[in-house]
């Protein structure tokens, strides 16, 4: 049996539009946040859950964490129906929602952690051992007596993650966990999540717009759009569908002769560099390199795939998201 089983979830919201001039009542519109969504996740998987704003990602997470009740469909998470067995269910999950903090703003984070220990009924010795482990891994040891309000954004996010993991949950929901973080903080957080997933076997569902996070952490991704599941599989296979162009930057000793390049190529000049964009399906890379070598004596050449964010943007556009 899978650790998470979701079958035919549906969830709609009724939204009142702004009242128009001359109308007594405001019009209502129904938003279908989830439409017949089904998937399963095994214990210990780290899955990316992606899609544009309004796709239904947060609604899914809120249903699976027991905050919302679906209109129809069923879900089983670790043996519990989240919205029916919420009190028991929340003992086994951790949730980090972007910059929405569960820790108390004006007190030292250690005080917040001790309160969470009481809430989750964690035995004192186990709590102290787990806190020491997490504080060391997340570089929080020197900050335990610091109020949350005096921390940087990166420190607050690490502190929040620590609080969500103190009771050693089997499942961790992460919603935009690296939003606003600098590069160093992002790398540290990714490294920690990989370690927690591999060493503790924690199942992690990651929703984010940061595709670098997805690429670094998740081998499997699910794409949601207009409340429907559009893709479920490996990230490289998904990107390969839209990774249809390559870019080569070349610098020559003298003016090159590009007359042999096919018309399907795009050629631009940036200072002393020439930027050639081409489709490998139209002209193989080996053939393109041979043509560029014949064009003149090269000083330097670099080849690169498309930026992952551009690929995802193209995917959303083609999926009409």
């Amino acid at each position: 049996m899978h650790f998470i089983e979701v079958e035919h979830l549906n969830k709609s919201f009724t939204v009142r539009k702004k009242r128009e001039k001359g109308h007594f009542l405001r019009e209502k519109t129904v938003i279908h946040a989830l439409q017949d969504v089904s998937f399963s996740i095994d214990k210990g998987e780290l899955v990316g859950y992606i899609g544009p704003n309004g796709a239904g990602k947060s609604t899914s997470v809120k249903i699976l964490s027991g905050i919302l009740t679906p209109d129809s469909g069923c879900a089983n998470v670790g043996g519990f129906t989240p919205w029916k067995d919420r009190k028991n269910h929340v003992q086994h999950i951790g949730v980090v929602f972007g910059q929405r903090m569960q820790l108390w703003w004006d007190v030292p984070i250690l005080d917040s952690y001790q309160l969470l220990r009481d809430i989750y009924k964690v035995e004192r010795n186990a709590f102290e051992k787990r806190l020491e482990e997490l504080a060391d891994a997340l570089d929080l040891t020197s900050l335990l007596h610091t109020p949350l309000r005096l921390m940087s954004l990166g420190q607050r996010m690490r502190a929040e993650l620590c609080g969500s993991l103190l009771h050693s949950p089997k499942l961790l929901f992460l919603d935009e966990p690296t939003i606003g973080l600098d590069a160093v903080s992002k790398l540290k957080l990714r490294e920690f999540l990989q370690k927690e997933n591999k060493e503790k076997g924690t199942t992690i569902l990651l929703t984010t717009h940061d595709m670098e996070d997805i690429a670094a952490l998740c081998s499997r991704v699910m794409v949601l759009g207009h409340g429907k599941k559009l893709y479920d599989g490996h990230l490289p296979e998904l990107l390969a569908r839209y990774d249809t162009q390559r870019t080569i930057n070349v610098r020559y000793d003298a003016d090159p002769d590009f007359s042999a390049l096919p018309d399907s190529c795009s050629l631009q000049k940036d200072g002393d560099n020439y930027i050639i964009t081409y489709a490998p399906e139209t002209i193989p890379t080996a053939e393109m390199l041979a043509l560029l070598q014949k064009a003149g004596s090269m000083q330097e050449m670099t080849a690169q795939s498309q930026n992952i964010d551009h690929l995802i943007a193209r995917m959303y556009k083609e999926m009409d998201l």
Side-chain angles (χ1 to χ4, degrees):
M1 184 176 178
H2 301 290
F3 185 65
I4 299 176
E5 285 275 7
V6 173
E7 295 182 357
H8 309 295
L9 280 188
N10 291 278
K11 181 67 178 177
S12 298
F13 298 97
T14 300
V15 178
R16 291 180 180 272
K17 295 182 178 180
K18 185 177 180 180
R19 187 167 58 193
E20 296 181 6
K21 188 176 181 179
H23 291 262
F24 181 73
L25 298 175
R26 291 189 294 174
E27 290 186 21
K28 296 179 181 179
T29 183
V30 177
I31 297 176
H32 300 287
L34 293 178
Q35 301 182 62
D36 198 35
V37 172
S38 300
F39 60 84
S40 61
I41 296 175
D42 290 329
K43 183 173 176 55
E45 276 198 275
L46 203 168
V47 181
Y49 203 34
I50 66 174
N53 291 329
K57 305 185 301 298
S58 294
T59 300
S60 303
V61 171
K62 288 175 181 177
I63 288 175
L64 293 178
S65 58
I67 296 173
L68 290 178
T69 299
D71 298 333
S72 62
C74 57
N76 186 295
V77 181
F80 298 105
T81 300
W83 56 93
K84 293 181 180 178
D85 307 307
R86 189 179 179 192
K87 187 174 181 180
N88 293 319
H89 174 58
V90 296
Q91 295 289 325
H92 304 285
I93 68 171
V95 182
V96 177
F97 282 119
Q99 297 184 42
R100 286 162 283 181
M101 304 297 173
Q102 67 173 329
L103 304 182
W104 280 259
W105 187 246
D106 291 310
V107 301
I109 59 172
L110 180 58
D111 291 357
S112 293
Y113 294 158
Q114 289 172 339
L115 183 56
L116 289 172
R117 177 184 69 82
D118 293 337
I119 291 174
Y120 288 106
K121 300 177 182 178
V122 181
E123 193 272 327
R124 185 173 294 276
N125 289 336
F127 165 77
E128 291 178 353
K129 182 179 179 181
R130 180 65 166 161
L131 178 57
E132 182 181 359
E133 175 186 32
L134 290 171
D136 181 62
L138 291 169
D139 196 20
L140 292 171
T141 304
S142 63
L143 298 170
L144 291 176
H145 297 284
T146 303
L148 196 69
R149 62 182 172 80
L150 297 180
M151 295 183 182
S152 68
L153 178 58
Q155 291 170 338
R156 293 201 301 267
M157 290 305 301
R158 298 202 307 272
E160 279 291 318
L161 187 56
C162 178
S164 296
L165 290 169
L166 281 171
H167 58 297
S168 300
K170 298 176 182 177
L171 172 63
L172 181 62
F173 293 106
L174 296 175
D175 188 2
E176 301 286 358
T178 63
I179 188 170
L181 300 189
D182 58 61
V184 174
S185 297
K186 281 187 180 184
L187 292 175
K188 286 184 178 179
L189 200 55
R190 290 174 190 161
E191 182 181 352
F192 170 78
L193 292 174
Q194 287 175 323
K195 183 177 180 181
E196 186 73 13
N197 172 249
K198 291 179 181 179
E199 295 185 2
K200 302 294 182 182
T202 307
T203 305
I204 300 176
L205 184 62
L206 170 64
T207 65
T208 181
H209 291 293
D210 191 326
M211 290 310 302
E212 290 185 0
D213 285 346
I214 296 292
L217 294 170
C218 309
S219 59
R220 175 187 172 191
V221 294
M222 289 186 286
V223 180
L224 209 65
H226 300 306
K228 300 177 182 179
K229 189 182 74 172
L230 303 176
Y231 178 84
D232 186 351
H234 295 295
L235 180 61
E237 294 175 5
L238 175 63
L239 296 180
R241 299 182 185 182
Y242 303 94
D243 189 11
T244 57
Q245 292 185 320
R246 295 288 184 276
T247 300
I248 296 179
N249 290 271
V250 190
R251 182 180 299 174
Y252 291 91
D253 291 328
D255 290 339
D257 177 12
F258 290 122
S259 59
L261 291 183
D263 294 336
S264 59
C265 296
S266 169
L267 177 64
Q268 293 179 302
K269 187 175 182 182
D270 181 14
D272 294 331
N273 291 326
Y274 292 89
I275 304 171
I276 298 93
T277 303
Y278 68 101
E281 288 188 357
T282 303
I283 176 170
T285 298
E287 184 177 336
M288 173 58 69
L289 293 177
L291 291 175
L292 293 176
Q293 287 177 329
K294 291 180 180 178
S297 176
M298 292 184 182
Q299 287 185 355
E300 184 180 353
M301 180 182 70
T302 58
Q304 55 187 169
S305 301
Q306 284 188 290
N307 180 280
I308 190 170
D309 288 319
H310 292 164
L311 296 180
I312 294 299
R314 180 182 298 172
M315 178 187 75
Y316 288 166
K317 184 177 180 180
E318 292 192 11
M319 289 182 174
D320 193 28
L321 300 183

